[in-house]
């Protein structure tokens, strides 16, 4: 049985905005089923992400590209049953937001059939109109910038983004454009820590980082990576929190504490 936790108010995008303004960091982890979602929430995780990383860690695929909208709706629905107060973020899968109409359809399915509170999509300034229209239709959006795993075949691999000044400037400009278009939250993956810190300061919306240093407003990890379940190579920016703890709950609580105190990620988790 999970330990009883004090009842907390539901976390919303407004809660996250207030936390940013107060300089209070928040913790994000992925979940793909009800039991894990309940465990993460009980350990104090504020945002539960149903990531399309499920293609790799649940389905055993090599990339997130094969994940379908139906896959995402199924897992989001399972996670929604396990969580009561965490903000439930769901990924829009590959090619499910190629037009504004398709994006509204996909996001509405994730919210109506899956129970998501906010959707995440990968891309830059070219998504400004889509983000604007989603916003206008009452759909909260998280804009995922930097390394875009759905574009792995185009990028030629999972590579650090924004190392050169022009690429860094482009990520900065695109993040600001998506914020202007109505994004409620941004997420950056695998960019230099110094660029992520500058972005955190420039944006008024909260910035979640993965492989982007300690300067972000929040951190996210794939839960299977931070529990050492993912077979094979663990990314350098991740950490096995289960090692040294005797339960999943204790490991997730340690992650939440480390994110909130700014202890994780440390310099050893920096990739650029
Ligand atoms: O799919 C996912 O789990 C993600 C995180 C890696 C941020 O997008």
């Amino acid at each position: 049985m999970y330990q009883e936790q004090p009842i907390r108010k539901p976390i919303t995008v407004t809660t996250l905005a207030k936390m940013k303004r107060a300089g209070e960091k928040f913790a994000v982890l992925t979940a793909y089923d009800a039991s894990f979602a309940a465990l993460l929430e009980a350990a104090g995780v504020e945002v539960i992400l149903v990531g399309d990383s499920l293609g790799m860690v649940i389905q055993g695929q090599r990339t997130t590209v094969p994940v379908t909208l139906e896959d995402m709706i199924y897992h989001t629905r399972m996670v929604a049953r396990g969580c009561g107060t965490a903000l439930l973020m769901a990924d829009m899968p590959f090619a499910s937001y190629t037009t504004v109409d398709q994006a509204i359809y996909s996001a509405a399915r994730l919210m109506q059939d899956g129970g998501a509170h906010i959707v995440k999509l990968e891309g830059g300034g070219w998504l400004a109109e889509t983000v604007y229209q989603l916003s206008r239709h009452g759909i909260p959006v998280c804009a995922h910038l930097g390394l875009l795993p759905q574009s792995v075949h185009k990028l030629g691999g999972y590579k650090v983004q924004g190392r050169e000044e022009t690429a860094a400037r482009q990520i900065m400009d695109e993040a600001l454009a998506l914020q202007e278009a109505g994004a409620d939250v941004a997420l950056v993956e695998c960019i230099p820590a110094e660029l992520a810190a500058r972005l955190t300061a420039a944006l008024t919306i909260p910035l979640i980082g993965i492989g982007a240093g300690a300067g972000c407003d929040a951190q996210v990890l794939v839960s299977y990576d931070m529990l050492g379940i993912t077979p094979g190579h663990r990314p350098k920016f991740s950490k096995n929190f289960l090692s040294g703890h005797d339960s999943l709950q204790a490991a997730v609580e340690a992650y939440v504490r480390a994110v909130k105190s700014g202890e994780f990620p440390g310099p050893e988790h920096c990739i650029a």
Side-chain angles (χ1 to χ4, degrees):
M1 285 293 285
Y2 304 133
Q3 237 182 332
E4 280 292 318
Q5 293 292 311
I7 295 170
R8 74 174 176 190
K9 281 182 20 188
I11 310 285
T12 67
V13 288
T14 313
T15 319
L16 303 184
K18 274 194 198 144
M19 289 177 84
K20 174 170 180 130
R21 285 198 296 277
E24 201 185 322
K25 289 181 189 281
F26 58 91
V28 187
L29 280 176
T30 63
Y32 315 102
D33 65 53
S35 301
F36 252 84
L39 187 146
L40 301 189
E41 184 170 287
V45 170
E46 278 96 353
V47 182
I48 298 183
L49 168 65
V50 187
D52 60 358
S53 50
L54 69 85
M56 294 155 98
V57 299
I58 303 289
Q59 298 175 337
Q61 317 254 28
R62 298 177 84 87
T63 72
T64 58
V65 173
V67 176
T68 66
L69 183 60
E70 297 311 317
D71 292 336
M72 289 308 304
I73 292 167
Y74 173 80
H75 285 281
T76 305
R77 196 185 303 132
M78 300 306 117
V79 168
R81 289 180 189 155
C83 71
T85 58
L87 185 75
L88 176 47
M89 183 184 289
D91 265 339
M92 303 263 270
F94 177 76
S96 69
Y97 47 100
T98 59
T99 64
V100 168
D101 286 350
Q102 189 198 20
I104 292 172
Y105 171 81
S106 303
R109 296 272 329 270
L110 285 166
M111 292 177 82
Q112 291 187 313
D113 299 342
H117 304 134
I118 177 168
V119 297
K120 173 162 82 61
L121 36 77
E122 296 182 9
W126 66 92
L127 286 175
E129 177 62 15
T130 301
V131 170
Y132 174 69
Q133 292 297 342
L134 288 169
S135 243
R136 276 198 51 199
H137 286 82
I139 299 168
V141 177
C142 173
H144 182 146
L145 298 124
L147 174 63
L148 310 178
Q150 291 173 9
S151 303
V152 61
H153 296 304
K154 187 77 180 166
L155 295 170
Y158 297 103
K159 298 173 184 163
V160 177
Q161 303 293 307
R163 276 193 203 272
E164 294 80 29
E165 193 42 43
T166 42
R169 168 58 37 209
Q170 188 175 342
I171 291 174
M172 174 70 79
D173 290 347
E174 293 189 329
L176 290 168
L178 293 173
Q179 169 178 271
E180 181 67 24
D184 301 273
V185 180
L187 182 150
V188 281
E189 179 164 354
C190 291
I191 64 168
E194 169 275 324
L195 170 60
R198 275 198 283 143
L199 266 168
T200 308
L203 292 170
T204 55
I205 57 174
L207 182 68
I208 303 169
I210 176 165
C216 302
D217 300 304
Q219 297 293 328
V220 61
L221 285 177
V222 170
S223 50
Y224 283 35
D225 288 349
M226 59 77 73
L227 294 171
I229 300 172
T230 312
H233 169 75
R234 175 167 44 83
K236 179 173 183 239
F237 58 73
S238 190
K239 175 179 170 177
N240 182 348
F241 281 87
L242 188 56
S243 123
H245 293 98
D246 59 6
S247 70
L248 296 179
Q249 175 101 16
V252 177
E253 282 171 358
Y255 168 75
V256 172
R257 276 197 305 277
V259 168
K260 286 184 172 290
S261 66
E263 196 185 301
F264 177 81
E268 69 277 25
H269 306 116
C270 274
I271 50 172

